[in-house]
Amino acid sequence: MTIAKAIKKINVNAEFTYLSDDINTIQWLNGTTPISNADIEAQFPAVELDKAMADLRAKRNQLLQDTDFHALSDNTMSEDMTTYRQELRDLTNGVTTVEQANAVVFPTKP
């Protein structure tokens, strides 16, 4: 799947097929201009970062969803809960590497 995502980062309209996640088996379809293996491989770190960020956001979004009831109009949210939810929203700020995404420490729920 990394190969497909890397190709789509370069050319969103590319049509291709490949076997068993083997970059050497790519077949370009319907007149798609071939992309070099080196150019595809150069996109792998960006694809990995996208995955790490998606995983981080999914966990963060679930934690926010778990506390959404505190934000209903008929509730008064505590300052601690407001701070916690803001810290969750800010978790991805400045995260630019897979290592940073994997090292994020989630705040403690009040």
Side-chain angles (χ1 to χ4, degrees), residues 4 25 28 37 41 49 53 59 63 71-72 79 82 92 98:
T25 64
W28 302 100
N37 288 359
E41 290 169 340
L49 178 58
M53 292 300 289
K59 183 174 180 181
L63 292 171
L72 296 175
E79 187 174 327
T82 300
T92 58
V98 172

Side-chain angles (χ1 to χ4, degrees), residues 9 14 21 33 36 40 58 61-62 70 76 82 97-98:
K9 281 191 156 299
D21 218 25
T33 301
S36 74
I40 296 167
N61 291 347
Q62 183 60 55
H70 289 286
T76 302
T82 300
T97 67
V98 172

Side-chain angles (χ1 to χ4, degrees), residues 17-91:
T17 185
Y18 60 95
L19 301 172
S20 303
D21 218 25
D22 182 354
I23 198 167
N24 295 309
T25 64
I26 297 172
Q27 293 181 357
W28 302 100
L29 307 173
N30 299 322
T32 298
T33 301
I35 301 169
S36 74
N37 288 359
D39 287 345
I40 296 167
E41 290 169 340
Q43 293 300 315
F44 287 177
V47 170
E48 293 301 317
L49 178 58
D50 289 347
K51 182 183 180 330
M53 292 300 289
D55 292 345
L56 176 60
R57 287 185 182 107
K59 183 174 180 181
R60 185 255 339 249
N61 291 347
Q62 183 60 55
L63 292 171
L64 282 167
Q65 185 178 352
D66 291 346
T67 60
D68 276 349
F69 70 93
H70 289 286
L72 296 175
S73 62
D74 61 341
N75 282 334
T76 302
M77 193 173 350
S78 71
E79 187 174 327
D80 288 344
M81 184 56 67
T82 300
T83 300
Y84 169 72
R85 289 173 56 85
Q86 187 60 53
E87 288 172 350
L88 288 173
R89 285 188 204 92
D90 293 343
L91 274 177

